[in-house]
Coordinates of all heavy atoms in Angstrom, one line a residue:
W293 N -2.9 29.2 62.3 CA -4.2 29.7 62.0 C -4.6 30.7 63.1 O -4.4 30.5 64.3 CB -5.3 28.6 61.9 CG -5.2 27.8 60.7 CD1 -4.6 26.5 60.6 CD2 -5.7 28.0 59.4 NE1 -4.7 26.0 59.4 CE2 -5.4 26.9 58.6 CE3 -6.4 29.1 58.9 CZ2 -5.8 26.9 57.3 CZ3 -6.8 29.1 57.6 CH2 -6.5 28.0 56.8
G294 N -5.3 31.8 62.7 CA -6.0 32.7 63.6 C -7.4 32.8 63.1 O -7.7 32.9 61.9
W295 N -8.4 32.7 64.0 CA -9.8 32.6 63.7 C -10.6 33.8 64.2 O -10.3 34.3 65.4 CB -10.4 31.3 64.2 CG -9.6 30.1 63.7 CD1 -8.6 29.4 64.3 CD2 -9.8 29.5 62.4 NE1 -8.2 28.4 63.5 CE2 -8.9 28.4 62.4 CE3 -10.7 29.7 61.4 CZ2 -8.8 27.5 61.3 CZ3 -10.6 28.8 60.3 CH2 -9.7 27.7 60.2
N296 N -11.5 34.3 63.4 CA -12.4 35.4 63.8 C -11.5 36.6 64.3 O -11.7 37.3 65.3 CB -13.3 35.0 65.0 CG -14.5 35.9 65.2 OD1 -15.2 36.2 64.2 ND2 -14.7 36.4 66.4
F297 N -10.5 36.9 63.4 CA -9.5 37.9 63.8 C -10.1 39.3 63.7 O -10.6 39.7 62.6 CB -8.3 37.8 62.9 CG -7.2 38.7 63.2 CD1 -6.4 38.5 64.4 CD2 -6.9 39.9 62.5 CE1 -5.4 39.4 64.7 CE2 -5.9 40.8 62.8 CZ -5.1 40.5 63.9
I298 N -10.0 40.1 64.7 CA -10.6 41.4 64.8 C -9.5 42.5 64.6 O -8.6 42.6 65.4 CB -11.4 41.7 66.1 CG1 -12.5 40.7 66.2 CG2 -11.9 43.1 66.1 CD1 -13.3 40.7 67.5
A299 N -9.5 43.2 63.5 CA -8.5 44.2 63.1 C -9.1 45.5 63.4 O -9.6 46.2 62.4 CB -8.0 44.0 61.7
D300 N -9.1 46.0 64.6 CA -9.7 47.3 64.9 C -8.7 48.3 65.4 O -9.0 49.5 65.6 CB -10.7 47.1 66.0 CG -10.1 46.7 67.4 OD1 -9.0 46.1 67.4 OD2 -10.8 46.9 68.4
R301 N -7.4 47.9 65.4 CA -6.3 48.8 65.8 C -5.0 48.2 65.4 O -4.9 47.1 65.0 CB -6.3 49.0 67.4 CG -6.0 47.7 68.1 CD -6.5 47.8 69.6 NE -7.9 47.8 69.6 CZ -8.6 48.3 70.7 NH1 -8.0 48.9 71.7 NH2 -9.9 48.3 70.6
D302 N -3.9 49.1 65.4 CA -2.6 48.6 65.1 C -2.2 47.5 66.1 O -2.4 47.6 67.3 CB -1.6 49.7 65.2 CG -1.8 50.8 64.1 OD1 -2.5 50.5 63.2 OD2 -1.2 51.9 64.3
T303 N -1.7 46.4 65.6 CA -1.5 45.2 66.4 C -0.2 44.5 66.1 O 0.2 44.4 65.0 CB -2.6 44.2 66.2 OG1 -3.9 44.8 66.5 CG2 -2.5 42.9 67.1
T304 N 0.5 44.0 67.2 CA 1.7 43.2 67.0 C 1.2 41.7 67.2 O 0.7 41.4 68.3 CB 2.8 43.6 68.0 OG1 3.2 44.9 67.8 CG2 4.0 42.6 67.8
L305 N 1.4 40.9 66.2 CA 1.0 39.5 66.3 C 2.3 38.7 65.9 O 2.6 38.5 64.8 CB -0.1 39.2 65.3 CG -0.5 37.7 65.3 CD1 -1.0 37.2 66.6 CD2 -1.6 37.5 64.2
N306 N 2.9 38.1 67.0 CA 4.0 37.2 66.8 C 3.5 35.8 66.6 O 2.6 35.4 67.4 CB 5.0 37.3 67.9 CG 5.7 38.7 67.9 OD1 6.1 39.2 66.9 ND2 5.9 39.3 69.1
I307 N 4.0 35.1 65.7 CA 3.5 33.8 65.3 C 4.5 32.7 65.5 O 5.7 32.9 65.0 CB 2.9 33.8 63.9 CG1 1.7 34.7 63.8 CG2 2.6 32.4 63.4 CD1 1.3 35.0 62.3
Q308 N 4.2 31.6 66.1 CA 5.1 30.4 66.2 C 4.3 29.2 65.6 O 3.1 29.0 65.9 CB 5.5 30.1 67.6 CG 6.5 31.2 68.2 CD 6.9 30.8 69.6 OE1 6.1 30.8 70.5 NE2 8.1 30.5 69.8
Y309 N 5.0 28.4 64.8 CA 4.3 27.2 64.4 C 5.4 26.2 63.9 O 6.5 26.6 63.6 CB 3.3 27.5 63.3 CG 3.8 27.7 61.9 CD1 3.9 26.6 61.0 CD2 4.3 28.9 61.5 CE1 4.4 26.8 59.7 CE2 4.8 29.1 60.2 CZ 4.8 28.1 59.3 OH 5.3 28.2 58.0
N310 N 5.0 25.0 63.8 CA 5.9 23.9 63.3 C 5.1 22.8 62.7 O 4.6 22.9 61.6 CB 6.8 23.5 64.5 CG 8.1 22.8 63.9 OD1 8.2 22.6 62.7 ND2 9.1 22.6 64.7
R311 N 5.0 21.7 63.4 CA 4.4 20.5 62.8 C 3.1 20.0 63.4 O 2.6 18.9 63.1 CB 5.4 19.3 63.0 CG 6.7 19.5 62.2 CD 7.8 18.5 62.5 NE 7.4 17.2 62.0 CZ 7.7 16.7 60.8 NH1 8.3 17.4 59.9 NH2 7.4 15.4 60.5
M312 N 2.4 20.9 64.1 CA 1.1 20.7 64.6 C 0.2 21.8 64.2 O 0.6 23.0 64.2 CB 1.0 20.6 66.1 CG -0.4 20.4 66.7 SD -1.1 18.8 66.5 CE -0.4 17.9 67.9
E313 N -1.0 21.5 63.7 CA -2.0 22.5 63.3 C -3.2 22.5 64.2 O -3.7 21.4 64.5 CB -2.4 22.2 61.8 CG -3.3 23.2 61.2 CD -3.5 22.9 59.7 OE1 -2.5 22.7 59.0 OE2 -4.7 22.8 59.3
A314 N -3.6 23.6 64.6 CA -4.9 23.8 65.4 C -5.9 24.4 64.6 O -5.9 25.6 64.4 CB -4.6 24.6 66.7
Y315 N -6.8 23.6 64.0 CA -7.7 24.0 63.0 C -9.1 24.2 63.5 O -9.5 23.5 64.5 CB -7.7 23.0 61.8 CG -8.6 23.4 60.7 CD1 -8.0 24.3 59.7 CD2 -9.8 22.9 60.5 CE1 -8.8 24.6 58.6 CE2 -10.6 23.3 59.4 CZ -10.1 24.2 58.4 OH -10.8 24.6 57.4
G316 N -9.8 25.1 63.0 CA -11.3 25.3 63.3 C -11.5 25.7 64.7 O -12.6 25.3 65.3
V317 N -10.7 26.5 65.3 CA -10.9 26.9 66.7 C -12.1 27.8 66.9 O -12.4 28.7 66.1 CB -9.6 27.6 67.3 CG1 -9.9 28.1 68.7 CG2 -8.4 26.7 67.2
H318 N -12.8 27.5 68.0 CA -14.0 28.3 68.3 C -14.1 28.3 69.8 O -14.0 27.3 70.5 CB -15.3 27.8 67.7 CG -16.4 28.7 67.9 ND1 -16.6 29.8 67.2 CD2 -17.5 28.6 68.8 CE1 -17.7 30.4 67.5 NE2 -18.3 29.7 68.5
A319 N -14.2 29.5 70.4 CA -14.3 29.7 71.9 C -15.7 30.4 72.2 O -16.2 31.2 71.5 CB -13.2 30.5 72.4
F320 N -16.3 29.9 73.3 CA -17.6 30.5 73.7 C -17.8 30.2 75.2 O -17.1 29.4 75.8 CB -18.7 29.9 72.9 CG -18.8 28.4 73.0 CD1 -19.7 27.8 73.8 CD2 -17.9 27.6 72.2 CE1 -19.8 26.4 73.9 CE2 -18.0 26.2 72.3 CZ -19.0 25.6 73.1
Q321 N -18.8 30.8 75.7 CA -19.3 30.5 77.1 C -20.8 30.0 77.0 O -21.5 30.4 76.1 CB -19.3 31.8 78.0 CG -18.0 32.1 78.6 CD -18.0 33.1 79.7 OE1 -18.6 34.2 79.5 NE2 -17.5 32.8 80.8
I322 N -21.1 29.0 77.8 CA -22.4 28.5 77.9 C -23.3 29.4 78.7 O -23.0 29.5 79.9 CB -22.4 27.0 78.4 CG1 -21.5 26.1 77.5 CG2 -23.8 26.5 78.5 CD1 -21.3 24.7 78.1
P323 N -24.4 29.9 78.2 CA -25.3 30.8 79.0 C -25.9 30.0 80.2 O -26.4 28.9 80.0 CB -26.4 31.2 78.0 CG -25.7 31.0 76.6 CD -24.8 29.9 76.8
G324 N -25.7 30.6 81.3 CA -26.2 29.9 82.5 C -25.3 28.8 83.1 O -25.7 28.2 84.1
G325 N -24.2 28.6 82.4 CA -23.3 27.5 82.8 C -22.3 28.0 83.9 O -22.4 29.2 84.4
V326 N -21.3 27.2 84.2 CA -20.3 27.6 85.1 C -19.4 28.7 84.6 O -19.3 28.9 83.3 CB -19.4 26.4 85.5 CG1 -20.2 25.3 86.1 CG2 -18.7 25.9 84.2
P327 N -18.8 29.5 85.4 CA -17.9 30.6 84.9 C -16.6 30.1 84.3 O -15.6 30.1 85.0 CB -17.7 31.5 86.2 CG -17.8 30.5 87.3 CD -18.9 29.5 86.9
A328 N -16.7 29.7 83.1 CA -15.6 29.1 82.4 C -15.8 29.3 80.9 O -16.9 29.7 80.4 CB -15.5 27.6 82.7
Y329 N -14.8 29.0 80.1 CA -14.9 29.1 78.6 C -14.7 27.7 78.0 O -14.0 26.9 78.6 CB -13.8 30.1 78.1 CG -14.1 31.5 78.3 CD1 -13.5 32.2 79.4 CD2 -15.0 32.2 77.5 CE1 -13.7 33.5 79.6 CE2 -15.2 33.6 77.7 CZ -14.6 34.2 78.8 OH -14.9 35.5 79.0
Q330 N -15.4 27.5 76.9 CA -15.3 26.3 76.2 C -14.6 26.6 74.9 O -14.8 27.6 74.2 CB -16.7 25.7 75.9 CG -17.7 25.8 77.0 CD -17.3 24.9 78.2 OE1 -16.7 23.8 78.0 NE2 -17.5 25.4 79.4
I331 N -13.7 25.6 74.5 CA -13.0 25.8 73.3 C -13.1 24.5 72.4 O -12.9 23.4 73.0 CB -11.5 26.0 73.6 CG1 -11.3 27.3 74.4 CG2 -10.7 26.2 72.3 CD1 -9.9 27.5 74.9
Y332 N -13.4 24.7 71.2 CA -13.4 23.5 70.2 C -12.2 23.7 69.3 O -11.9 24.8 68.8 CB -14.7 23.5 69.4 CG -14.7 22.4 68.4 CD1 -15.3 21.2 68.7 CD2 -14.2 22.6 67.1 CE1 -15.3 20.2 67.8 CE2 -14.2 21.6 66.2 CZ -14.8 20.4 66.5 OH -14.8 19.4 65.6
V333 N -11.5 22.6 69.0 CA -10.4 22.6 68.1 C -10.2 21.3 67.4 O -10.3 20.2 68.1 CB -9.1 23.1 68.8 CG1 -8.7 22.2 69.9 CG2 -7.9 23.2 67.8
R334 N -9.9 21.3 66.2 CA -9.5 20.0 65.5 C -8.0 20.0 65.2 O -7.5 20.9 64.5 CB -10.2 19.9 64.1 CG -10.0 18.5 63.4 CD -10.0 18.7 61.9 NE -11.3 19.0 61.4 CZ -11.5 19.3 60.1 NH1 -10.5 19.3 59.3 NH2 -12.7 19.7 59.7
P335 N -7.2 19.1 65.8 CA -5.8 19.1 65.7 C -5.3 18.2 64.5 O -6.1 17.4 64.0 CB -5.3 18.5 67.0 CG -6.4 17.5 67.3 CD -7.7 18.1 66.8

């Protein structure tokens, strides 16, 4: 799966997958929080 895919230019996207699925991925930063990113995923 690829989520929120932005197609704004010619892109090479190599894909690997097998027997695990990473579903519903969402990434964000918490305003005013530590300088880090948060990621949600359902495996």
Side-chain angles (χ1 to χ4, degrees):
W293 287 99
W295 303 95
N296 199 48
F297 184 75
I298 300 174
D300 65 337
R301 66 199 68 206
D302 294 345
T303 302
T304 298
L305 177 61
N306 293 319
I307 293 170
Q308 289 180 295
Y309 79 96
N310 202 348
R311 293 171 67 88
M312 175 74 84
E313 183 175 308
Y315 187 79
V317 175
H318 188 74
F320 59 98
Q321 278 191 307
I322 298 174
V326 297
Y329 286 99
Q330 315 297 321
I331 302 172
Y332 178 91
V333 58
R334 184 211 297 172

